[in-house]
Amino acid sequence: MHATLTHPRVNLARPQPALAPDVESFYHLPHGEHTGKACQGTACFAAKHFNPARWAEANAQNPRIYCLGECFAAPAKGQTHPRPPVKVFSREGIVLGRIAAGGARTLAAYEKFGGYGALQQALGQTPEQVLAAVEASQLRGRGGAGFPAGRKWRAVASQPAGEKYVVANADEGDAGAYIDRYLMEDDPHALIEGMILAGYAVGASKGYIYVRLEYPLAGEVLRAAIAEARAAGWLGARVGGKDFDFELEVYTGHGSYVCGEETSLLRSIEGKRPEVMARPPYPTERGLFDNPTLLNNVETLVNVPWIVTHGGAAYAEMGFSKSRGTKALSLNSLFNRPGLYEVEFGVTVRHIVEDLGGGLRGGGQLKGVLIGGPIIGIIPPHLIDTQLGFEELAAIGAGVGHGGVVAFDEHTSIPDLMEHVFSFGAYESCGKCTPCRSGSGRVEEIFANALGGDATQADLQECRELVVALKLASLCGHGTGLARFAESILRYYPTEIEPCFK
Ligand code: SF4
């Protein structure tokens, strides 16, 4: 017997329910159009000298908008349909291949690239075979933590049969990252196929795509693609005529960076105030509506059809060390050639900066690079021969993160960057932990004072202590990431920091 489509809490035809006042007060952004709004994200901060008036406009805006996913045109002001250059430099264009070849927004276009062939193939196999292929691929999560995807899939598959969920984390809020945005807008069926394959492998019959509010076109395109997939028999009861049901729904976020954290995201879908929750239990055991839930980010899931078609071993042949396969990178407007590029793990940061990005615009001098968002360690120029890999970047205090690459040139003041990142951190804190709720705002204040010439060595010492507290007493990566960022700044840029404190 195939599982029946019983989802008492889910009505696919319903609009998203209104939020309770105590839930709504958590979020920053009203639903509606963001075209024409100026962005205050870190890629726009790095590029503010290109257009100071636009940056001033972003700073005057309330509520703030942190990252529109247009970092290639930073400082950005929401355009209607902006498109970055897209190129594949890996042996296989697994993630960006279709977009580089013109995109596959419709089912017909996706089928020309062999779309849904992996699902057809998988439905002739057992779920265990699909799961084994993902394990063999050594695919790791592309949303930040780099957790082995196969281990997560196995954990959900091992839970007793019953209601299970697959959730795509499309809350790409890390400033500088615009990978998932264009995957959803220009290749939506790859995500849908990846999610159906995941559902088949782990025994789930329902999926959600949690799309951030700042990406309205992505939500629109995905809803149309889901309707196409359903009409073609790839969604709904008896997928592909087999004994397997799977339904999919888009859930639009409400404008909160912290909803990219998994427990927060799931609570957001449930209509609860999305504060971060302590783990365990992990979502793989008790996730959405208390059921086992597989949560992967968009790029992770987009890799899956290729892995199923070509086998896990073929995927694992690419990349290096413990980082296998390819990674999509999004380069900001400081580069001569900003854009979306797919590379194999193992290339150096220097290769990304100099060969892919073509160096910095206007002959700018590289002051540092952030890969994967603002709450991660910065890479100073003397370390750019480090290879792109989870462990390799972690060893220098940085990370792969989401893969957004934000370069800073000589126009960026490092104390100003500290103030910017901690202002973002304080604004987006969920408020659960004291060092994050209060401490990040205090670090912002200390650096604002330092920039005004009104800070002492005692303030700097207080800042160092707050960073330690953030590192030790934060429940989620928001607080610990802020600490990692601050540690890297204090370690690598003492000559810019120390003189600001009397
Ligand atoms: S570290 Fe910050 S965002 Fe994370 S749970 Fe604590 S208060 Fe919330």
Side-chain angles (χ1 to χ4, degrees), residues 448-483:
N449 291 341
L451 288 163
D454 187 23
T456 65
Q457 284 294 321
D459 292 324
L460 182 56
Q461 181 55 29
E462 183 188 352
C463 175
R464 291 185 196 281
E465 287 164 11
L466 286 168
V467 170
V468 173
L470 269 170
K471 189 175 178 179
L472 297 178
S474 293
L475 191 55
C476 84
H478 188 68
T480 55
L482 284 167

Side-chain angles (χ1 to χ4, degrees), residues 258 276 428-433 436-437 474-476 478-479:
V258 85
V276 173
E428 295 289 359
S429 169
C430 86
K432 197 152 185 170
C433 322
C436 179
R437 182 182 63 245
S474 293
L475 191 55
C476 84
H478 188 68

Side-chain angles (χ1 to χ4, degrees), residues 144-456:
F147 191 81
R151 268 181 35 210
K152 222 186 231 190
W153 287 39
R154 176 68 65 191
V156 178
S158 303
Q159 295 295 315
E163 194 93 284
K164 296 180 186 178
Y165 293 94
V166 175
V167 176
N169 184 343
D171 196 41
E172 183 183 49
D174 283 327
Y178 51 90
I179 298 155
D180 294 347
R181 171 176 176 169
Y182 292 100
L183 289 178
M184 292 186 284
E185 290 186 6
D186 290 342
D187 199 11
H189 285 281
L191 171 61
I192 293 168
E193 187 177 11
M195 291 186 76
I196 303 169
L197 286 163
Y200 183 66
V202 305
S205 56
K206 172 74 192 173
Y208 283 94
I209 306 172
Y210 188 96
V211 182
R212 63 196 297 255
L213 180 63
E214 294 86 340
Y215 290 177
L217 180 61
E220 206 178 293
V221 169
L222 280 167
R223 285 188 177 93
I226 287 170
E228 281 188 308
R230 192 177 294 122
W234 296 124
L235 285 172
R238 298 191 60 80
V239 171
K242 300 290 180 179
D243 205 15
F244 163 58
D245 301 345
F246 194 76
E247 256 308 346
L248 201 48
E249 184 175 356
V250 171
Y251 187 93
T252 306
H254 306 278
S256 165
Y257 173 80
V258 85
C259 283
E261 193 280 339
E262 59 183 11
T263 60
S264 172
L265 184 151
L266 296 177
R267 284 174 65 83
S268 181
I269 295 176
E270 291 170 347
K272 296 174 181 162
R273 196 171 164 84
E275 285 156 346
V276 173
M277 303 302 286
R279 293 163 296 180
Y282 292 94
T284 50
E285 305 151 33
R286 269 179 58 195
L288 192 61
F289 304 120
D290 281 337
N291 292 305
T293 301
L294 175 67
L295 188 65
N296 281 140
N297 101 313
V298 171
E299 186 184 344
T300 311
L301 289 159
V302 165
N303 277 285
V304 172
W306 194 96
I307 290 168
V308 169
T309 302
H310 299 271
Y315 188 86
E317 266 176 29
M318 289 176 278
F320 90 126
S321 181
K322 292 181 182 168
S323 305
R324 315 308 304 187
T326 69
K327 180 77 193 82
L329 302 171
S330 54
L331 274 58
N332 75 331
S333 63
L334 265 281
F335 291 100
N336 277 315
R337 290 193 291 271
L340 267 179
Y341 304 126
E342 184 170 0
V343 299
E344 289 184 36
F345 280 105
V347 298
T348 63
V349 177
R350 182 185 296 282
H351 174 69
I352 295 165
V353 170
E354 296 178 0
D355 301 329
L356 306 188
L360 301 194
R361 237 166 101 175
Q365 295 301 304
L366 185 73
K367 198 169 209 178
V369 189
L370 272 172
I371 299 184
I375 54 167
I376 210 160
I378 191 168
I379 303 168
H382 71 275
L383 291 177
I384 64 169
D385 287 313
T386 308
Q387 288 174 284
L388 182 75
F390 292 101
E391 282 69 29
E392 291 73 15
L393 286 174
I396 60 165
V400 174
H402 231 110
V405 183
V406 175
F408 300 90
D409 68 11
E410 69 276 14
H411 292 91
T412 293
S413 142
I414 294 295
D416 193 18
L417 175 61
M418 267 292 277
E419 198 248 345
H420 159 78
V421 169
F422 274 82
S423 177
F424 160 78
Y427 191 76
E428 295 289 359
S429 169
C430 86
K432 197 152 185 170
C433 322
T434 307
C436 179
R437 182 182 63 245
S438 305
S440 53
R442 176 63 185 140
V443 175
E444 174 195 358
E445 184 182 44
I446 288 172
F447 273 86
N449 291 341
L451 288 163
D454 187 23
T456 65

Side-chain angles (χ1 to χ4, degrees), residues 39-100:
C39 179
Q40 208 174 332
T42 305
C44 292
F45 169 88
K48 62 181 178 174
H49 54 285
F50 294 151
N51 192 337
R54 181 169 290 176
W55 179 248
E57 183 185 339
N59 276 277
Q61 223 167 244
N62 188 22
R64 303 179 191 177
I65 291 187
Y66 279 114
C67 206
L68 290 163
E70 298 175 22
C71 320
F72 53 92
K77 188 164 176 171
Q79 303 173 50
T80 313
H81 294 301
R83 282 289 166 281
V86 181
K87 283 189 182 154
V88 172
F89 293 98
S90 45
R91 278 172 278 179
E92 299 280 348
I94 297 171
V95 176
L96 295 178
R98 285 172 295 275
I99 302 179

